[in-house]
Amino acid sequence: MSLAWGQFAVDTPADGPVTLRAAAGAAAQPLVEVLTAGSGRGHVSARFSETTIGRRLRFAGSSADGAGLRIRLRDDESGLTAEVLLSGALQATTTITNDGPEPVLLLGVTTLAIGLGDPGDLDLISGDSEWLGEGRWTRRRLRDVVPDLNLRAHGQDGRGRHAVTSTGTWSTGAHQPSGVLVDRVTGHAVAWQVEHNGPWRWEVGERLDGAYLALTGPTDIDHQWRQPLAPGESFTTVPASIAAGPGLHGAVAALTAQRRTLRRPDPALPVVFNDYMNTLMGDPTTAKLLPLIDAAAAAGAEVFCVDAGWYDNDTTWWDSVGEWQPSTTRFPGGLAEVADRIRSHGMVPGLWLEPEVIGVRSPMADKLPAEAFLQRGGIRLVEHGRYHLDLRHPAATAHLDEVVDRLVEQFGAGYLKLDYNIDPGVGTDLGAAGAGAGLLDHNRAHLAWLDAVLARHPGLILENCASGGMRADYGLLSRMHLQSTSDQQDFRKYPPIAVSAPLSILPEQAASWAYPQPDMTDAEIVFTMCTGLLGRLYLSGRLDAMTDAQRELVRDGVDAYRRIRGDLAATVPVWPLGLPGWDDPWLALGLHAGDTTYLGLWRRAGAVAEVTVELDHLRGRRVDVDVLYPDRAVAWPLHWTGETGSLTVTTPPDEPYAARILRLRVTGPPTA
């Protein structure tokens, strides 16, 4: 019997494991893989394919309800049962229940595993990240990481795998929890994401009958995670989503649609000005802020966020944070004076907050019980001069609730930038079976705390930040309204981060900095403004020190964003020059919805003056092309060729850093 789930099929043979496949002829990879201390892998390896229990699990029924399609499995030998909830069309979780008579120790459970085609036909698209260098994506043949070992000649499944993992709480600090596999022969592609604000693992490998993909949260082998299950107890995995479509762009479009079913509605998409990046840099005062607030309002900002330092009476605040009381030396008339000035311009006041940490010199370090902090072996964890709150403890969440409620009620804060600048490692062993289990429970308590904050303050806008984009996962982004994409301060290096962002973050959530400065040329101001326009415009810069002409150029960029933001939440991304390379001289990102495509182009030092971009979704169409921003600069000659869907752009040779946002609109039926 076969059950349909979106573009996938669930096969339920009577004499074998249940399998999930996206195309005919895919490998018969078991849908669920389970590792326990008493029952490991059926074939020796370090991977999540062909576990002993995964081989034995058999179909035990299915049902559909408002939550989705439920697939029930049972292993008669161990007594373990599994229920895979396939929500809507694309999201999955797996719940393991011990229905046997003896305790079981779980060491790893897949959220989802799927069989794929011939590994020799597949390309793997994956992303690496680090501070200031987020979202560096590459496309390579799967055979580059899963070599052809001629398994059929040996008659055994492989033992190797290409496993990508994240440890600690910077869920995107080293690698992306998402990826795409594209079949070069059929053009069919599968995309995925693990939706967890803590450790995760995805892996691809080769079986005798083809390739497989397995998605998991924390595991014993990677993250010191284990979970005892007494008879009658259950464990549910972290969620993951999977999507399919034609080629890279089709699969990403399907995953983009799935992300929109997860995120919290935020229809206004206001222009945010933040005083930090290349501007006040954590040194706000009333004297510095008031003229900047006036200038931001004149530029069209709708939210003004006072970033780090507002709680600081001196310059050594890093290891003393935690009470979150306004400085009395920085704001002689009180922080309320600043908030009132923001509101007087019709803007929403915002504040930076790093809620999960307490500095080692903070008074809160002694006011809260020791059990309210992450610990190892009875010792509080310290990272970069900070303790880390354990949000499983009611005293920790009560403290944070008091802080948030006070800032909202006392200062009218309608926007909070929630930053996160440490990583506590594998977790806490206090009151848990192991450090990884304690961390998972803390991660889930963190999400529950955010849910409660938004339930109390439904109008509050929450920005997700972790030293830029170090924790940009859809466990958090299903709750947060926008995501800072980077802390990158060099405007010349930021475009590849912004261009790649829609591979992992919705365009309407991806907030890339635009930080124009008075010492920039007009072309450089346009360049940095364009970096922020095809996403959530995240504005900074010393606007108060600019000339009138410079401020007008910034205002034009804000106006351009306001004209397109109503379309952002319906757009899907395309990369007409291919995936962006970190040092590419030309970069391009397209966002299209209906008959309109917004195209961003960035030219960097060393680029040739002319470039042709291929927009396959517009091939054969009659198209009008106009410059959305800047509309007062020197014109770039543009030539559209409908038969090939290509746009040729010529730029002046004397601008080493130049950018434009173009709008392409279909004006008629396909050409003959």
Side-chain angles (χ1 to χ4, degrees), residues 335-357:
L335 183 59
E337 178 185 3
V338 173
D340 289 344
R341 184 68 154 260
I342 295 170
R343 278 192 295 271
S344 74
H345 287 292
M347 295 188 294
V348 174
L351 289 170
W352 179 95
L353 192 65
E354 194 173 356
E356 296 154 80
V357 302

Side-chain angles (χ1 to χ4, degrees), residues 43 103 110 129 150 232 235 283 370 376 399 421 444 453 607 628 651:
H43 181 64
T110 58
S129 287
N150 194 8
F235 168 76
D283 188 28
R376 295 291 299 281
H399 163 62
N421 291 299
R444 288 174 160 168
V453 167
L628 188 70
T651 62

Side-chain angles (χ1 to χ4, degrees), residues 483-621:
Q483 170 69 52
S484 171
T485 60
S486 185
D487 277 354
Q488 177 56 252
Q489 292 177 241
D490 187 339
F491 76 97
R492 295 159 295 193
K493 292 187 178 296
Y494 210 129
I497 298 170
V499 170
S500 68
L503 275 162
S504 53
I505 306 168
L506 284 172
E508 63 269 28
Q509 288 184 292
S512 295
W513 290 92
Y515 32 65
Q517 301 297 342
D519 60 354
M520 287 181 171
T521 66
D522 285 357
E524 290 171 340
I525 289 175
V526 168
F527 190 92
T528 187
M529 288 298 297
C530 286
T531 298
L533 288 180
L534 291 188
R536 289 294 291 270
L537 179 57
Y538 201 43
L539 190 61
S540 195
R542 288 302 307 272
L543 308 186
D544 55 323
M546 286 183 167
T547 66
D548 289 344
Q550 289 175 320
R551 282 193 286 265
E552 190 172 22
L553 200 53
V554 173
R555 176 69 197 220
D556 287 348
V558 173
D559 288 344
Y561 169 75
R562 285 175 158 177
R563 291 197 296 275
I564 71 175
R565 65 179 169 186
D567 294 338
L568 283 179
T571 60
V572 294
V574 294
W575 292 271
L577 290 176
L579 296 175
W582 187 250
D583 296 315
D584 283 357
W586 273 103
L587 296 161
L589 171 64
L591 299 177
H592 70 92
D595 288 337
T596 300
T597 297
Y598 301 106
L599 176 65
L601 293 170
W602 290 261
R603 175 191 168 184
R604 300 195 286 179
V608 296
E610 185 174 280
V611 67
T612 297
V613 297
E614 306 293 336
L615 295 159
D616 292 341
H617 68 287
L618 294 177
R619 183 171 295 166
R621 308 303 298 272

Side-chain angles (χ1 to χ4, degrees), residues 124 140-147 160-163 204-205:
L124 173 65
R140 52 189 162 170
R141 291 176 178 263
L142 183 59
R143 282 300 189 204
D144 290 344
V145 293
V146 179
R161 77 280 183 241
H162 176 66
V204 289

Side-chain angles (χ1 to χ4, degrees), residues 237-258:
T237 66
V238 304
S241 290
I242 191 166
L248 166 65
H249 291 148
V252 171
L255 194 56
T256 297
Q258 165 64 1

